[in-house]
Amino acid sequence: MSLANPIALRGAPGSPYTRKMVALLRYRRIPYRLLIEGSTSRETLPEARVSLLPTFFFEAADGLEAVVDSTPIIRRLEADVLGRSVIPSDPALAFLNYLLEDYADEWLTKAMFHYRWYYDPDIALAGEVLPRWRNLTGTDDEIAPMSAFVRDRQIGRLYVVGSNDTTAPVIEASYRRFLDALDAHIQQGPYLFGRRPASGDFGLYGQLTQLAAFDPTPARLTERHAPRVLAWVQLVDDLSGLDPEEAHWFERDALPDTLTALLAEVGRTYVPVMLANARAFEAQAETVEAEVEGLPWVQQPFPYQAKCLQWVRQEYSRLDGADRGTVDRWLDGTGCERLFAH
């Protein structure tokens, strides 16, 4: 891929996955063009098989190819554009990074979606701001019906991430524990795996651009509870000036204990829900039922997250004996080992 030709991607400021990928492109110094979702464009672009943000448009033999799903796109970019990698060179660390990236994408996003569409102040702000990204010149009267449409549509989709009155205490307690764990780990890093960011950092960052810096309820919580995390989000936004070196990755035998606390939070929340979701999907059940920290979790099955669990297990299966042994030692006792118990 020629860096002289910027990659086009369609996205939106309120999409955590768009923010994840834009920050990653900045860090990797990959030229890009961000096309705001819904804005007027003279370009005729192909549609992806599944409409998700961001959508990347890669050059292909017959024109442009529309591609979605941030995790495989990151790995594709690793192969296409050399230098400033966001995948640790140590296979054991690369696996832990994959797991934490999936936690951000598939669990932390539950908190993001929950806070935005569960509390009245957050609903009000999102309903007013999100439609204006597509139409900054629109009058209040013109924006009002779109605001109502966005609010009604998104509140009606809370079930997709499992946000409801039963799971709200689980999600919010988990977010507070996550803030504590990340706050402690930043002091050792400042990134997940050393002094240079990995894809997992950008996964966390994407969700936190909304939780820590946009939606009022979690933003106030983050500001009061973990100001260091807010500062971290502001810095990760543009790391294009960072000069990473291979030595900036942690050595596998020198990972700080604060990483264990992060993995333990993954084991408390993401793991039981992902396993219960997979069981429900396989049994064609109508409801996912799990227990998280002694509290009930109930939602509808989410087929995509069943695939995510398969992909995490595939990454684990690719580890050789020594690397798997290192990963197993780090996962032991965190609850994450249950993902691979079979």
Side-chain angles (χ1 to χ4, degrees):
M1 179 183 297
S2 171
L3 295 184
N5 299 318
I7 299 173
L9 66 150
R10 181 186 292 132
S15 157
Y17 304 101
T18 298
R19 301 291 293 274
K20 169 188 178 180
M21 294 306 295
V22 168
L24 182 141
L25 292 169
R26 288 189 188 123
Y27 167 68
R28 296 207 59 212
R29 298 176 182 170
I30 298 175
Y32 68 93
R33 296 185 298 121
L34 176 61
L35 310 174
I36 298 301
E37 167 72 5
S39 63
T40 302
S41 174
R42 297 179 181 178
E43 295 180 80
T44 300
L45 297 169
E47 293 297 325
R49 284 182 293 179
V50 180
S51 180
L52 294 173
L53 297 181
T55 298
F56 274 65
F57 302 96
F58 288 109
E59 295 179 5
D62 56 349
L64 290 176
E65 176 190 15
V67 181
V68 299
D69 202 337
S70 61
T71 297
I73 289 174
I74 288 172
R75 276 73 188 169
R76 176 171 179 165
L77 291 172
E78 288 283 317
D80 288 349
V81 184
L82 300 180
R84 302 178 69 83
S85 174
V86 293
I87 307 299
S89 51
D90 183 316
L93 270 60
F95 172 79
L96 295 176
N97 171 62
Y98 188 97
L99 178 61
L100 287 168
E101 183 181 350
D102 202 64
Y103 162 81
D105 288 349
E106 305 305 327
W107 176 266
L108 197 55
T109 195
K110 295 180 186 296
M112 179 255 134
F113 206 85
H114 163 77
Y115 277 113
R116 176 166 295 175
W117 302 111
Y118 191 76
Y119 287 104
D120 288 342
D122 305 74
I123 293 169
L125 179 65
E128 289 298 324
V129 173
L130 269 60
R132 285 180 164 82
W133 288 327
R134 299 185 178 195
N135 185 8
L136 284 173
T137 61
T139 66
D140 290 349
D141 288 342
E142 291 170 336
I143 294 296
M146 183 56 67
S147 294
F149 171 79
V150 169
R151 286 192 292 261
D152 291 346
R153 181 175 184 270
Q154 297 299 81
I155 292 170
R157 296 180 74 248
L158 280 172
Y159 74 90
V160 175
V161 298
S163 170
N164 52 58
D165 291 341
T166 299
T167 62
V170 177
I171 293 171
E172 296 181 15
S174 172
Y175 182 60
R176 288 190 293 271
R177 291 194 305 268
F178 162 74
L179 286 176
D180 288 338
L182 183 60
D183 181 85
H185 190 64
I186 287 169
Q187 297 178 63
Q188 307 300 319
Y191 307 108
L192 288 174
F193 297 99
R195 288 182 287 144
R196 58 185 292 177
S199 61
D201 289 282
F202 291 106
L204 298 177
Y205 158 84
Q207 304 299 329
L208 286 168
T209 59
Q210 313 305 307
L211 286 159
F214 180 81
D215 297 299
T217 301
R220 285 195 298 270
L221 172 63
T222 306
E223 180 183 350
R224 293 195 305 266
H225 197 71
R228 184 180 286 105
V229 171
L230 176 58
W232 182 85
V233 172
Q234 293 166 338
L235 287 175
V236 175
D237 186 65
D238 189 344
L239 293 175
S240 59
L242 196 66
D243 291 320
E245 299 177 8
E246 181 62 25
H248 290 167
W249 295 120
F250 285 138
E251 295 289 337
R252 65 167 59 181
D253 296 327
L255 289 171
D257 291 339
T258 49
L259 186 65
T260 303
L262 272 171
L263 292 170
E265 182 55 32
V266 176
R268 290 187 187 101
T269 54
Y270 164 97
V271 169
V273 173
M274 292 291 277
L275 291 175
N277 179 73
R279 290 192 298 268
F281 178 70
E282 291 170 7
Q284 298 183 328
E286 296 183 357
T287 305
V288 175
E289 295 185 9
E291 185 176 286
V292 179
E293 290 289 277
L295 297 174
W297 181 275
V298 179
Q299 72 168 89
Q300 291 187 10
F302 193 177
Y304 177 77
Q305 289 192 338
K307 293 181 180 180
C308 290
L309 179 56
Q310 291 178 355
W311 294 331
V312 169
R313 286 171 168 168
Q314 288 172 4
E315 293 296 317
Y316 179 80
S317 71
R318 294 188 179 107
L319 295 168
D320 68 18
D323 295 332
R324 184 176 296 183
T326 297
V327 167
D328 287 344
R329 286 193 294 275
W330 274 95
L331 298 186
D332 185 43
T334 66
C336 294
E337 69 275 12
R338 290 181 292 162
L339 292 171
F340 316 107
H342 73 292

